[in-house]
């Protein structure tokens, strides 16, 4: 048997464990904090009688075919409390943020265009409205203007801290409040636009953090916002060229 259950191990399960191919007893790694996907080489563990991976919440990805076919009995192969069988991308900050937007704004039912979304990785599967850096490394631009989004802006979008060009959800049907977490998009240099929606409540002062790099467009116009404009947000106007857009009207 190989038994490391009920500890605090984290990170990916090492590929070298596949060298236990002759193991016929129990492989038990449950109740830890293992992450990422199982190495394809784990298919060589098909001879084990009991395989326990449950209660590793961030263990994800496809199961090696050989391993899956050899362990059809769920009593002998336990994986409850894991994300095995799902795309690991949706456990990463970028994937979590984009999938949260898709779920909260009617991606599956309301969006006019949704090509590529929720399949593979945003930067390699050509998700509509998403542009990435050189080599498809990370999302740099999100532009879903005029795309029939409904529902609300999720707080998870604050995780897209690597955005450098556009954050544009303008001219849709988004409602509820503006998440203060959007103030974390401090690398934005060009456009922050959530105008022409049905957003309510006050403007979070955290949006003033966008003044760090934003020099072109900041647009909250044509919503149902109320209250006063926070001084922190007012400071954005001084960071922009006079020919560019700074609008916060309701």
């Amino acid at each position: 048997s190989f038994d490391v259950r009920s500890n605090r191990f984290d990170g990916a399960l090492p590929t070298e464990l596949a060298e236990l191919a002759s193991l016929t007893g129990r492989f038990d790694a449950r109740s830890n904090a293992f992450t990422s996907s199982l190495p394809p080489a784990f298919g060589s563990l098909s001879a084990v009688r009991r395989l326990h991976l449950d209660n590793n919440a961030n263990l994800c990805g496809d199961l090696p075919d050989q391993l899956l076919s050899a362990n059809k009995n769920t009593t002998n192969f336990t994986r409850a409390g894991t994300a095995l069988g799902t795309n690991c991308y949706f456990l990463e900050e970028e994937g979590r943020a984009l999938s949260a937007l898709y779920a909260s704004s009617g991606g599956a039912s309301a969006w006019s265009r949704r090509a590529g979304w929720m399949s593979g990785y945003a930067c390699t599967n050509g998700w509509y409205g998403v542009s990435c850096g050189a080599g498809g490394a990370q999302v740099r631009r999100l532009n879903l203007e005029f795309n029939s989004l409904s529902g609300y802006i999720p707080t998870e979008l604050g995780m897209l801290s690597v955005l450098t060009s556009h954050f544009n959800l303008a001219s849709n049907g988004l409602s509820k409040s503006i998440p203060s977490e959007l103030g974390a998009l401090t690398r934005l240099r060009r456009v922050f636009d959530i105008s022409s929606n049905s957003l309510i409540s006050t403007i979070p002062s955290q949006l003033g953090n966008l003044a760090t790099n934003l020099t072109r467009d900041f647009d909250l116009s044509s919503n149902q916002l109320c209250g006063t404009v926070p001084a922190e947000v007012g400071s954005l106007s001084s960071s922009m060229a006079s020919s560019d857009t700074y609008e916060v009207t309701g």
Side-chain angles (χ1 to χ4, degrees):
S1 295
F2 175 84
D3 193 343
V4 292
R5 61 181 158 167
S6 301
N7 282 290
R8 297 180 181 178
F9 295 120
D10 56 15
L13 283 161
T15 301
E16 289 76 10
L17 289 178
E19 296 175 10
L20 299 172
S22 59
L23 183 69
T24 58
R26 185 179 76 241
F27 183 101
D28 198 337
R30 59 186 146 176
S31 300
N32 280 285
F34 289 116
T35 62
S36 193
S37 58
L38 295 180
F42 267 42
S44 65
L45 298 177
S46 56
V48 298
R49 294 193 183 95
R50 293 182 178 274
L51 177 63
H52 300 303
L53 300 173
D54 30 328
N55 298 322
N56 286 284
N58 291 320
L59 200 59
C60 54
D62 295 330
L63 291 160
D65 291 338
Q66 186 179 356
L67 186 63
L68 187 60
S69 62
N71 291 277
K72 294 179 180 178
N73 187 329
T74 55
T75 302
N76 295 338
F77 181 20
T78 57
R79 47 181 164 149
T82 73
L84 285 168
T86 64
N87 191 340
C88 288
Y89 180 55
F90 299 121
L91 295 179
E92 300 169 7
E93 287 193 347
E94 185 177 283
R96 285 171 59 195
L98 294 174
S99 61
L101 175 62
Y102 190 82
S104 70
S105 62
S109 57
W111 288 17
S112 301
R113 295 168 294 277
R114 64 180 71 89
W117 277 75
M118 307 310 291
S119 174
Y121 289 71
C123 288
T124 56
N125 277 48
W127 291 18
Y128 173 79
V130 174
S131 300
C132 301
Q138 292 175 310
V139 173
R140 301 300 190 196
R141 171 177 175 155
L142 178 65
N143 188 352
L144 293 172
E145 183 180 17
F146 291 111
N147 200 43
S148 302
L149 278 66
S150 61
Y152 62 93
I153 301 173
T155 60
E156 288 88 349
L157 285 183
M159 296 177 181
L160 294 178
S161 58
V162 295
L163 284 179
T164 56
S165 177
H166 289 61
F167 179 88
N168 191 347
L169 302 180
S171 301
N172 285 293
L174 296 167
S175 58
K176 298 189 178 180
S177 60
I178 302 172
S180 61
E181 287 80 0
L182 296 185
L185 306 181
T186 55
R187 296 187 188 182
L188 273 177
R189 293 194 297 266
R190 300 187 67 190
V191 174
F192 180 90
D193 192 346
I194 51 177
S195 64
S196 300
N197 280 285
S198 298
L199 299 168
I200 60 173
S201 192
T202 57
I203 301 173
S205 61
Q206 289 85 347
L207 292 189
N209 296 336
L210 302 182
T212 304
N213 287 301
L214 194 65
T215 58
R216 184 176 161 186
D217 293 346
F218 178 84
D219 198 345
L220 308 182
S221 64
S222 300
N223 280 290
Q224 300 173 32
L225 302 171
C226 60
T228 59
V229 177
E232 295 87 349
V233 172
S235 67
L236 275 163
S237 60
S238 63
S239 69
M240 297 181 180
S242 60
S243 60
D244 293 324
T245 303
Y246 171 79
E247 293 192 32
V248 294
T249 56

